[in-house]
Amino acid sequence: MADGGAVRRVEAGGPTAFWEPGRHILWRYRENAGERFHIARPVTVVRDDAEVLAVWMAPGTECVKPVLADGTPLHAEPLATRYKKPREVQRDRWFGTGVLKLARPGEPWSVWLFWEPGWLFKNWYVNLETPLARWDGGVDSVDHFLDICVYPDRSWDWRDEDEFAQAQQDGLMDGHAAERVREAGRSAVEAIRAWGPPFSDGWQHWRPNPAWGVPSLPDDWDRTPAQLSS
């Protein structure tokens, strides 16, 4: 299993290292209206080049996720108070089927692929977020609440519109930022309707290399990158 360094560099947006397939990196999210990392997921690089970063999050991966300060899972807290109560982070494991995550450089969303047990393809999930910032150990972003679910018959629908509205009401996102997210969503919908990449690229037929195993969560999962690049 490869766990070595980058194989080449590109100049667009500054020096950016491409990772080899099999390399373990972190996929992280900062908290909204804050600086702390509250989501960290070790993933395995599937492909990394000027067109796309593709990573695999294996079943059983140890992750970091946000919870309320008293340990209550976020989904168990009513939406009206979910973003107002103090939070902590805790270690947990991803117990569902694995997730393939795809991100094109500079795009304000990533596309995740989900399967049912037995590799029955379930759906694509467009996660609206800031364009990924790369560093030597992985990629960082901020989630924008609003999402889009895309089904095998090419139909789609918006997801988490209630969370998007609540986040604005609670001051986690101002009107200008919300409009940028809506514009990103409209652009994603155009790509869906045109059935462009990555939906047209056949990733639903991809399967992970069994030799990869499950990457571990490093103790310094929340370290501040020494240098960031787009």
Side-chain angles (χ1 to χ4, degrees):
M1 173 170 52
D3 195 29
V7 294
R8 54 194 175 121
R9 293 179 179 273
V10 295
E11 295 302 323
T16 300
F18 290 148
W19 293 297
E20 296 175 347
R23 171 72 183 268
H24 294 164
I25 64 172
L26 285 172
W27 187 294
R28 308 189 297 185
Y29 290 95
R30 294 182 186 274
E31 61 187 358
N32 301 91
E35 291 299 321
R36 295 190 310 169
F37 292 105
H38 69 161
I39 294 174
R41 296 166 177 167
V43 294
T44 302
V45 174
V46 174
R47 172 184 164 187
D48 186 30
D49 53 36
E51 295 298 320
V52 70
L53 169 65
V55 304
W56 170 244
M57 184 168 67
T61 298
E62 186 179 18
C63 305
V64 170
K65 69 176 186 179
V67 294
L68 297 185
D70 63 1
T72 300
L74 298 185
H75 65 83
E77 179 68 19
L79 185 57
T81 52
R82 187 177 302 170
Y83 301 128
K84 297 176 180 178
K85 293 190 174 182
R87 295 186 178 193
E88 299 292 342
V89 297
Q90 71 176 28
R91 291 178 177 239
D92 201 351
R93 290 192 180 273
W94 184 269
F95 286 110
T97 56
V99 182
L100 180 67
K101 299 185 177 188
L102 311 171
R104 292 162 61 86
E107 243 173 14
W109 66 78
S110 57
V111 178
W112 305 359
L113 282 76
F114 290 89
W115 288 266
E116 301 283 5
W119 287 105
L120 177 63
F121 182 63
K122 183 179 180 182
N123 61 270
W124 295 269
Y125 195 82
V126 179
N127 197 72
L128 297 174
E129 57 193 39
T130 58
L132 297 182
R134 298 172 63 109
W135 54 288
D136 60 353
V139 291
D140 297 340
S141 183
V142 176
D143 182 79
H144 287 159
F145 303 98
L146 190 61
D147 305 298
I148 306 169
C149 198
V150 185
Y151 304 97
D153 65 0
R154 302 192 185 185
S155 63
W156 59 273
D157 55 37
W158 294 102
R159 291 297 178 93
D160 302 327
E161 291 179 279
D162 55 345
E163 295 184 7
F164 183 58
Q166 190 68 45
Q168 294 170 66
Q169 183 176 324
D170 291 343
L172 296 180
M173 180 181 296
D174 63 26
H176 294 294
E179 181 52 36
R180 289 195 296 271
V181 174
R182 292 189 190 97
E183 178 58 34
R186 289 190 288 267
S187 296
V189 168
E190 289 179 6
I192 296 165
R193 288 174 171 162
W195 209 245
F199 309 102
S200 59
D201 290 339
W203 283 104
Q204 65 271 29
H205 306 299
W206 173 87
R207 299 293 182 266
N209 184 336
W212 281 343
V214 180
S216 58
L217 180 70
D219 291 335
D220 60 348
W221 59 266
D222 59 348
R223 65 189 182 275
T224 300
Q227 183 176 4
L228 289 172
S229 60
S230 299

